[in-house]
Each structure stands twice: as C-alpha cells, then as structure tokens.
Amino acid sequence: QVQLVESGGGLVQAGDSLRLSCVLSARTPSQYSMAWFRQIPGKDRNFVAAVTLGGSTYYSDFVKDRFIISRDDAKNTMYLQMNNLQPEDTGDYYCAAYMGLLARVAAPNRRLYRSWGRGTQVTVSG
C-alpha cells in the first residue's frame, strides 16, 4: 500500500518562500518517480514539477526558475522549494507517485499517477 503525506503549506505574502514536503510510504519507495500538482477550486489539477527515480527533474513553464524539486531517498521524502511566490501560485498542492521512470513528455499527465496525497494548501496574498 502506497501512502503520501504532504506538509509545509501556509499563508504567505508575495515574494516569500515556502518549502513543501511529501513523505512516501511504500515497500520500495526508491522505485517511484514523484510529482507535484496544483489545484484551484473548480479546476483540474495542473502539473507543477516532477523528479524521477533517477533524479531527473521536470518543471512546468510557470514555475521554472522559481521552484526547485528534490528528493531525499534516505528519508523517503520529496520537496518543493517555492521561491518568489506570487498570488497566482495559490492553490492546493498535491504530491503524486508513479512506479518507474517518467519521461519528460509523460510527467504532466496526472492520469499516470495512481497514488496521491491529500494535499496542502498554499495561499499567497498580494
């Protein structure tokens, strides 16, 4: 059974930083590629960033150069360092896991991910 637990969300002002964490519980956690998605009410979950089991990273265009995704396999944890946050970054952030390697073109496809966390809320005030 795979379980994902996010933490680190909060209310910040524009220009501030936050670091989200996602702890993965699984029999073989190092065999999973992981990703962050963001959702606002009434909208689909949109891809933010992914890190493969090999350590490759992919980003959506709207967070590139501001967000950094990483993973610490010793702690079974994925991180999202979010810098220079803007009001449009507001939303619920979900982590997701995919067993195996993820290609760049496949990473944004939320339907590939079978395991999801419950989300952590990020609110950025202007």
Side-chain angles (χ1 to χ4, degrees), residues 1-5 22-34 71 73-77 96-100 114-116:
Q1 184 179 357
V2 177
Q3 187 176 20
L4 297 161
V5 179
C22 173
V23 178
L24 168 64
S25 298
R27 194 168 65 168
T28 54
S30 63
Q31 296 303 308
Y32 287 82
S33 298
M34 299 175 72
R71 63 189 293 162
D73 287 340
K75 297 181 179 180
N76 297 335
T77 302
Y98 171 84
M99 191 169 189
R114 293 190 174 186
S115 303
W116 293 85

Side-chain angles (χ1 to χ4, degrees), residues 61-72:
D61 287 342
F62 64 83
V63 303
K64 200 163 44 177
D65 299 328
R66 294 191 299 126
F67 291 9
I68 301 171
I69 191 170
S70 61
R71 63 189 293 162
D72 184 340

